[in-house]
C-alpha cells in the first residue's frame, strides 16, 4: 500500500462527505477549504487517540501537497492556530476530559515529530510540547496511569529530538520525574515501572538495551 493509500485507510472513521474532503485535501489541496480540514483533523484527534497518533503523517502530506501545488501554507497556518488555541485552554481541556487531554498531547507531539522547517523540528512547537510534558509530570498527573503512560510514550517518540532543541528543559523535566519516582506517594506499580524505564532509557542516550527490554517487557506482561 502506497503512502496515499495509507492516508486514505486512516480516514475511514469519518462520514462519507468528510472522507471525500480529506482525500481531496491530500491530492488537490487548493480546491478545498483548508482551514475547515485543519479543524476536522484536530477535532477528530481530540476524540480518538488512535487517530491522533497517525494524524501527523496526514497533516504532513497535506502540507507537502499544498506547498508543491501552490507554494502556500494555509493548512499549516490554520493547523498551528488551532493547536495554539487548544494549548491556551489545556487546563480547561484536562478538567473537562482526561481522554481529550491525552489525545491532545499525543497529537501535538505527533505534529512536532512530522512537521519540519529546513529539515528541523519547528521551534514554535518546542516550548508548547515541553509545557504539556511538564504538566504530565506534576504530582496529580503522576497518580494517573493514563497520563504517565502518555508521557512515557511521547518521550520515547520525540524525547531525543526535544533534548537537542532544548536540553535544559529536558534536564528539568527529568528532575521532576526522578523526584516523582523516588518521593511521591500514591504511584501505582505500573507507573513506577514506566518512570524507571524512561529514566534509564534517557540515561542510555535514548536507547533501550536488550537487558532492559527483556526486564521491562517481562514485568509488564507478568
Amino acid at each position: 500500500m502506497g503512502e496515499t493509500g495509507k492516508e486514505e485507510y486512516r480516514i475511514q472513521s469519518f462520514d462519507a462527505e468528510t472522507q471525500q474532503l480529506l482525500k481531496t485535501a491530500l491530492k488537490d489541496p487548493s480546491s478545498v477549504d483548508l482551514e475547515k480540514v485543519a479543524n476536522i483533523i484536530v477535532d477528530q484527534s481530540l476524540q480518538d487517540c488512535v487517530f491522533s497518533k497517525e494524524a501527523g503523517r496526514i497533516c504532513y502530506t497535506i502540507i507537502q501537497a499544498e506547498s508543491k501545488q501552490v507554494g502556500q501554507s494555509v493548512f499549516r497556518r490554520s493547523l498551528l492556530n488551532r493547536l495554539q488555541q487548544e494549548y491556551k485552554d489545556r487546563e480547561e481541556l484536562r478538567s473537562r476530559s482526561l481522554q481529550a487531554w491525552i489525545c491532545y498531547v499525543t497529537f501535538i507531539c505527533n505534529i512536532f515529530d512530522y512537521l519540519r522547517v529546513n529539515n528541523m523540528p519547528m521551534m514554535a512547537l518546542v516550548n508548547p510540547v515541553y509545557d504539556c510534558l511538564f504538566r504530565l509530570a506534576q504530582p496529580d498527573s503522576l497518580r494517573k496511569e493514563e497520563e504517565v503512560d502518555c508521557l512515557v510514550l511521547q518521550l520515547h517518540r520525540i524525547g531525543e529530538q526535544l533534548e537537542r532543541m532544548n536540553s535544559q528543559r529536558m534536564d528539568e523535566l527529568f528532575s521532576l520525574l526522578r523526584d516523582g519516582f523516588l518521593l511521591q506517594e500514591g504511584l501505582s506499580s505500573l507507573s513506577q515501572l514506566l518512570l524507571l524505564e524512561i529514566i534509564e532509557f534517557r540515561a542510555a542516550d535514548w536507547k533501550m538495551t536488550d537487558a532492559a527490554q527483556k526486564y521491562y517487557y517481562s514485568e509488564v506482561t507478568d
Side-chain angles (χ1 to χ4, degrees):
M1 185 184 291
E3 287 302 313
T4 302
K6 289 180 183 177
E7 314 317 341
E8 291 186 3
Y9 175 76
R10 290 186 185 109
I11 60 180
Q12 295 302 314
S13 55
F14 293 95
D15 62 65
E17 184 181 346
T18 305
Q19 282 188 43
Q20 190 55 50
L21 177 67
L22 293 175
K23 287 176 183 178
T24 304
L26 287 162
K27 295 173 182 172
D28 185 16
S30 65
S31 68
V32 298
D33 181 344
L34 290 173
E35 185 176 355
K36 181 180 179 181
V37 172
N39 283 322
I40 287 170
I41 291 173
V42 175
D43 287 340
Q44 184 69 12
S45 294
L46 294 180
Q47 297 171 35
D48 180 351
C49 274
V50 174
F51 181 78
S52 71
K53 292 175 186 175
E54 305 294 346
R57 185 186 290 274
I58 295 173
C59 293
Y60 172 78
T61 303
I62 296 172
I63 288 167
Q64 292 293 102
E66 185 191 11
S67 176
K68 192 172 181 180
Q69 188 180 48
V70 291
Q72 293 184 328
S73 54
V74 173
F75 177 78
R76 185 174 74 178
R77 187 166 61 249
S78 299
L79 177 67
L80 293 176
N81 285 343
R82 180 66 194 279
L83 279 173
Q84 184 179 40
Q85 179 186 328
E86 297 296 337
Y87 166 76
K88 287 177 180 175
D89 298 333
R90 62 193 182 281
E91 278 300 330
E92 182 186 328
L93 178 65
R94 183 179 179 274
S95 299
R96 188 171 69 246
S97 168
L98 193 65
Q99 179 72 9
W101 157 241
I102 288 170
C103 287
Y104 173 72
V105 176
T106 303
F107 181 58
I108 194 173
C109 290
N110 196 258
I111 293 297
F112 173 82
D113 192 26
Y114 275 104
L115 265 57
R116 291 284 186 272
V117 175
N118 298 325
N119 211 31
M120 291 285 290
M122 291 189 67
M123 279 301 300
L125 290 174
V126 173
N127 281 326
V129 167
Y130 263 123
D131 290 344
C132 289
L133 299 182
F134 268 79
R135 183 62 187 88
L136 291 172
Q138 298 308 306
D140 59 334
S141 291
L142 291 179
R143 284 191 285 271
K144 294 184 168 68
E145 282 184 358
E146 310 98 302
E147 290 190 276
V148 176
D149 186 54
C150 177
L151 172 63
V152 170
L153 283 171
Q154 305 320 316
L155 284 169
H156 267 282
R157 179 168 194 160
I158 62 169
E160 188 174 6
Q161 294 180 65
L162 264 182
E163 181 161 35
R164 284 200 296 266
M165 303 299 282
N166 188 329
S167 59
Q168 182 180 340
R169 290 206 75 184
M170 190 62 75
D171 288 340
E172 292 166 359
L173 177 61
F174 271 78
S175 178
L176 280 180
L177 296 183
R178 280 190 294 273
D179 286 350
F181 175 74
L182 294 170
L183 305 173
Q184 186 167 322
E185 296 179 359
L187 289 185
S188 71
S189 55
L190 177 59
S191 292
Q192 289 178 315
L193 188 71
L194 289 169
L195 289 175
L196 180 59
E197 186 272 322
I198 198 63
I199 289 167
E200 293 191 347
F201 184 67
R202 185 197 179 208
D205 199 24
W206 302 103
K207 293 179 180 65
M208 176 74 81
T209 64
D210 290 342
Q213 190 161 7
K214 286 176 186 171
Y215 172 74
Y216 289 113
Y217 182 74
S218 66
E219 286 291 318
V220 169
T221 54
D222 282 350

